[in-house]
Amino acid sequence: MPLFSVPKEVAVGAAMLGVAFATGMLAGFGTPKSSKSTIGKNSPLWQYILDHSLREHPILKKLRLLTVDHPHGKMMVSCDQAQLMANLVKLIKAKKVIEIGVFTGYNTLNMALVLPDNGKVIACDINEDYAKIGKPLWKEAGVDHKIDLRIKPAIQTLDELLASGEAETFDFAFIDADKESYIEYYEKCLRLIKKGGIIAIDNILWGGRVLKPRKDDLAAQTIHQLNEKLLRDARINISILPMGDGVTLAFKL
């Protein structure tokens, strides 16, 4: 897919809904092509937005460039989106975070950097090889003690957290893994998140496929069902942001 007219230090894969960077997903799932946005991917105005909003810790940048060169680098969460997640984590003074879908750990590192020294990210993934790319940089950044990487199906980890009495003790959750499990991830995260906490759900536009999900596209069907569910869920307030491939912010009431 075409890149924006930005140097490698900024460009990170294909545009999603006019955003310069590809959205992150769990290993084994590709990113669909998306439709055009109001601000096109080659728009000078969008370039201006990037140039005047993106800030990045030097070790984050180092990990991003390593990930860009990876054969599956397009799975990395977009830089601007990861920055927003970190800002939200900091805004609500989060101490406990759940991340479902780690890949090389760029977003993991982004959030760990803003957590207090006694904060914790429970990072869930099924592919340790990808996470090994980020682990040395987590250590280099001095935040590896804040990251609890659990290599097993995320549903299992969430069930373990609930069984150990950690319901309503987490402040923030980021869901970006296999789309067919999104509804189950959401429900379990909602039980784990305390009132006033936030659940961020990535890829909720799924390249536009949610408009008319095909019968053979279980991912699109599931995301569409989740979007319908969230709209009517009285337990939360929501906002959908046309960032990356779409991200929903669910605020637990």
Side-chain angles (χ1 to χ4, degrees):
M1 298 181 188
L3 299 178
F4 279 89
S5 57
V6 294
K8 183 179 178 183
E9 287 78 5
V10 175
V12 185
M16 285 292 181
L17 296 179
V19 177
F21 310 106
T23 53
M25 288 185 287
L26 189 66
F29 296 85
T31 303
K33 293 180 180 179
S34 71
S35 57
K36 294 180 180 179
S37 68
T38 303
I39 302 178
K41 63 185 180 180
N42 295 314
S43 166
L45 182 57
W46 185 249
Q47 183 62 57
Y48 182 89
I49 292 172
L50 293 176
D51 290 343
H52 291 81
S53 65
L54 183 62
R55 298 177 178 179
E56 199 172 37
H57 188 285
I59 299 177
L60 270 174
K61 177 179 176 180
K62 188 174 178 180
L63 178 52
R64 175 166 54 80
L65 295 180
L66 282 174
T67 306
V68 169
D69 289 334
H70 191 278
H72 300 292
K74 67 181 182 179
M75 295 194 302
M76 182 172 61
V77 69
S78 66
C79 297
D80 56 323
Q81 186 172 326
Q83 181 171 286
L84 174 61
M85 298 306 107
N87 283 335
L88 289 171
V89 166
K90 190 172 182 179
L91 177 68
I92 64 174
K93 296 180 172 60
K95 291 184 178 179
K96 293 179 68 177
V97 172
I98 302 168
E99 182 182 38
I100 303 175
V102 175
F103 190 38
T104 64
Y106 177 85
N107 191 51
T108 317
L109 176 57
N110 219 333
M111 294 189 293
L113 283 166
V114 300
L115 286 174
D117 195 59
N118 63 345
K120 187 70 67 176
V121 180
I122 305 296
C124 309
D125 211 312
I126 57 172
N127 191 317
E128 190 168 15
D129 288 339
Y130 292 154
K132 284 180 179 177
I133 296 172
K135 287 175 77 172
L137 297 179
W138 298 346
K139 185 174 183 179
E140 184 179 344
V143 297
D144 55 320
H145 65 287
K146 302 181 190 178
I147 301 171
D148 181 357
L149 178 64
R150 304 195 184 186
I151 303 298
K152 62 180 73 174
I155 293 297
Q156 183 179 338
T157 295
L158 298 176
D159 283 339
E160 289 171 354
L161 293 171
L162 289 167
S164 64
E166 296 193 61
E168 297 191 334
T169 65
F170 286 84
D171 304 288
F172 187 89
F174 182 69
I175 301 174
D176 183 18
D178 56 301
K179 312 311 168 191
E180 293 83 353
S181 300
Y182 260 31
I183 293 175
E184 192 170 7
Y185 291 150
Y186 166 70
E187 284 294 342
K188 292 183 185 296
C189 284
L190 194 62
R191 292 172 61 190
L192 287 163
I193 294 293
K194 63 179 63 172
K195 290 182 179 180
I198 302 172
I199 301 174
I201 309 170
D202 200 15
N203 299 115
I204 54 85
L205 299 181
W206 202 231
R209 296 181 191 179
V210 291
L211 292 175
K212 192 175 181 180
R214 299 193 314 268
K215 292 182 179 180
D216 62 344
D217 191 343
L218 182 57
Q221 290 181 31
T222 303
I223 295 170
H224 175 64
Q225 290 167 10
L226 176 61
N227 290 339
E228 293 283 339
K229 175 184 178 71
L230 294 175
L231 176 63
R232 296 169 175 79
D233 195 336
R235 298 171 295 177
I236 58 169
N237 284 331
I238 63 170
S239 289
I240 293 180
L241 307 180
M243 169 180 275
D245 192 27
V247 57
T248 290
L249 299 179
F251 305 84
K252 185 173 178 179
L253 299 175

